[in-house]
Amino acid sequence: MNRTYVDVECICLVNGTIVPKKVIWRDGRSWDIVRVIHSCTSIGGEFDGIRYTVLIGNSEKQIYLTKGRWYVEETGREEAS
């Protein structure tokens, strides 16, 4: 799978928790994140950084934060659509 780096608007809480709020695709389209369902780090090395499972519209999507950069994994179609 290919990584596509995206912009993400997020807030950082006082306790250091990062909460993503919007994904902005490379062509300028954007999607509001309705809710963060889950976040985790990889134990077995299957991905880098922190994986966030988020709700965009009615669809669950995964976005990743690693070394201060956000990305999605493309599977032949745009993940955030």
Side-chain angles (χ1 to χ4, degrees):
M1 286 189 239
N2 295 323
R3 287 184 185 183
T4 297
Y5 288 92
V6 295
D7 290 326
V8 174
E9 290 181 7
C10 56
I11 59 173
C12 185
L13 303 178
V14 175
N15 66 5
T17 301
I18 297 171
V19 182
K21 302 304 270 181
K22 180 182 283 194
V23 174
I24 305 164
W25 201 252
R26 60 184 169 238
D27 64 5
R29 291 178 292 157
S30 64
W31 295 269
D32 291 328
I33 296 171
V34 177
R35 178 168 56 102
V36 175
I37 298 168
H38 179 72
S39 65
C40 64
T41 56
S42 174
I43 295 172
E46 63 188 273
F47 59 88
D48 292 333
I50 303 170
R51 178 177 63 200
Y52 292 81
T53 302
V54 298
L55 188 63
I56 296 177
N58 292 324
S59 299
E60 282 188 24
K61 303 291 182 180
Q62 294 181 336
I63 59 175
Y64 302 83
L65 175 62
T66 184
K67 298 177 185 169
R69 295 179 69 194
W70 293 91
Y71 70 93
V72 298
E73 289 186 340
E74 288 191 73
T75 58
R77 62 183 178 80
E78 295 176 354
E79 287 292 328
S81 61

